[in-house]
Amino acid sequence: MNRSTAGLDPFARRCIATGAILMLAGVILGAFGAHLLEGRLAARQLASYHTGVTYQLLHSVGLVLVGLVGQAAGVATRLRWSARLMLAGVLLFSGSIYLMTAGAPRWLGAVAPLGGLSFMAAWALLAWHALRLRA
């Protein structure tokens, strides 16, 4: 069995499945916000909620991308960390926004920047991995 017929390697499978599940959850949360939260939240809260959804959706696709890169070019430590940091970013950034929208204490907003830093580091590691690949 060669690489093209063997299916996905475990890293790629985990990244793609996790990204797809997060994307599904993001679509559900986006619909929930558009249909059930509108009119119940202040405009600023609703805008924050939508920001959380947008970042979740973008980084869900990013996680799928990391899995595909790992499948195509091989997995390196920096790629594994990129995947971990994208997931951490979704949980910290979007998760803290969702919790605050649901009434969690405002101090939880201090967690969101950690998620943002996780996103930045994840993309930097993915770029570094791509630049280190041989032609």
Side-chain angles (χ1 to χ4, degrees), residues 68-76 78-79 125-135:
L68 293 174
V69 169
Q71 178 70 22
V75 181
R78 59 189 163 265
L79 202 57
L125 286 167
L126 180 58
W128 183 20
H129 182 76
L131 293 170
R132 299 292 297 167
L133 293 174
R134 286 181 269 134

Side-chain angles (χ1 to χ4, degrees), residues 3-26:
R3 187 176 178 119
S4 66
T5 61
L8 295 174
D9 65 40
F11 174 79
R13 186 173 48 252
R14 283 190 307 272
C15 286
I16 294 168
T18 302
I21 290 166
L22 287 172
M23 182 63 80
L24 171 63

Side-chain angles (χ1 to χ4, degrees), residues 59-135:
H59 291 88
S60 299
V61 173
L63 192 53
V64 170
L65 176 65
V66 169
L68 293 174
V69 169
Q71 178 70 22
V75 181
T77 300
R78 59 189 163 265
L79 202 57
R80 289 185 190 282
W81 275 104
S82 179
R84 290 175 186 135
L85 288 166
M86 281 207 194
L87 177 58
V90 169
L91 296 175
L92 295 170
F93 183 84
S94 297
S96 66
I97 291 172
Y98 299 148
L99 290 171
M100 287 189 307
T101 301
R106 298 294 305 159
W107 63 261
L108 193 58
V111 173
L114 296 175
L117 289 172
S118 295
F119 289 146
M120 289 180 240
W123 288 110
L125 286 167
L126 180 58
W128 183 20
H129 182 76
L131 293 170
R132 299 292 297 167
L133 293 174
R134 286 181 269 134

